[in-house]
Amino acid sequence: VVSEMCIRDRLEPFSLQAYEEASSQHPVVSSGTQYQMVQDVAAKITRAADENFPWEARLLDAPDTPNAFCLPNGRIAIYTGILPITQNADGLAAVMGHEVAHATLRHGGKRMTQGTLSQAAMAVVDTGMGMAQLGNENRGMVMGLLGAGAQYGVLLPYSRDSESEADGWGIRYAIGAGYDPMEAPKLWERMAALGSGGPEWMSTHPDPLERAKRLREIIPRIIEEEKGWQPKPTKPTKKVNPGAVGR
């Protein structure tokens, strides 16, 4: 049986290269109120997630791209186009908590370690070559497997079970971080109101109104379960590059 640490180490080159690739598509915002909000929410959500990842969060200046993702091993990207929909820090925490949960639950990592294409791609990286050697089509597919393929026209939805699991844990992270979890169903109701003008990736996700309804049902139970939650003591925040969040 391959250990989780071994899988994490094998995924690290993919996570790092995919993050740089996605970040190269748009200017990286490194100051201002939106940047600060993203960094603040990321610091709190990742502390609540209590996972020893090399967490980093970037805000990408892409007003026409309402999207966000978190790669395996904890690299978060928020596109400015989603901020008018999230509207506030609580809404952003709902989105970020959900995406971070995909990473902590290893949803993207599991996809990358299963299947012929991903095994072939991992073999390429294991030889020391980068994703650039994969060619555009395979590179886009790898980005999709990792959860960052929307920019490449590769929409590989997580299973409904994975989406529901990430919804539940995302709410726990938002609560643990001190945000209002009831903003999550409101967010999905706003998504639903966009209709066909909403993000392309919504076509591969569960119906937003059904999602909002389910969240309203489960949030009171999760609030009760999370009463008295306290984060474990963390190491002092290390010095990080601009755009990174420390632990």
Side-chain angles (χ1 to χ4, degrees), residues 45-53 55 104 173 229-234 247:
I45 290 287
T46 56
R47 188 166 187 232
D50 200 27
E51 184 78 52
N52 189 27
F53 283 160
W55 294 108
T104 60
Y173 296 159
W229 180 90
Q230 289 292 328
K232 293 177 186 174
T234 55
R247 291 184 60 78

Side-chain angles (χ1 to χ4, degrees), residues 19-103:
Y19 201 44
E20 295 307 322
E21 174 127 350
S23 299
S24 72
Q25 306 292 317
H26 304 283
V28 178
V29 180
S30 57
S31 63
T33 55
Q34 290 184 333
Y35 163 81
Q36 198 56 56
M37 177 174 67
V38 167
Q39 294 303 314
D40 290 347
V41 172
K44 292 174 183 175
I45 290 287
T46 56
R47 188 166 187 232
D50 200 27
E51 184 78 52
N52 189 27
F53 283 160
W55 294 108
E56 186 171 353
R58 290 179 184 170
L59 177 62
L60 304 181
D61 187 8
D64 297 327
T65 305
N67 198 15
F69 64 78
C70 182
L71 293 168
N73 297 357
R75 293 180 174 92
I76 303 162
I78 303 293
Y79 294 76
T80 55
I82 204 166
L83 297 181
I85 305 171
T86 58
Q87 290 189 357
N88 52 50
D90 294 306
L92 179 60
V95 167
M96 201 182 292
H98 175 88
E99 298 302 330
V100 161
H102 278 309

Side-chain angles (χ1 to χ4, degrees), residues 103-125:
T104 60
L105 294 164
R106 276 63 175 177
H107 290 159
K110 286 170 185 171
R111 294 202 300 195
M112 273 303 298
T113 53
Q114 298 163 355
T116 309
L117 168 70
S118 49
Q119 290 291 351
M122 291 191 82
V124 168
V125 172

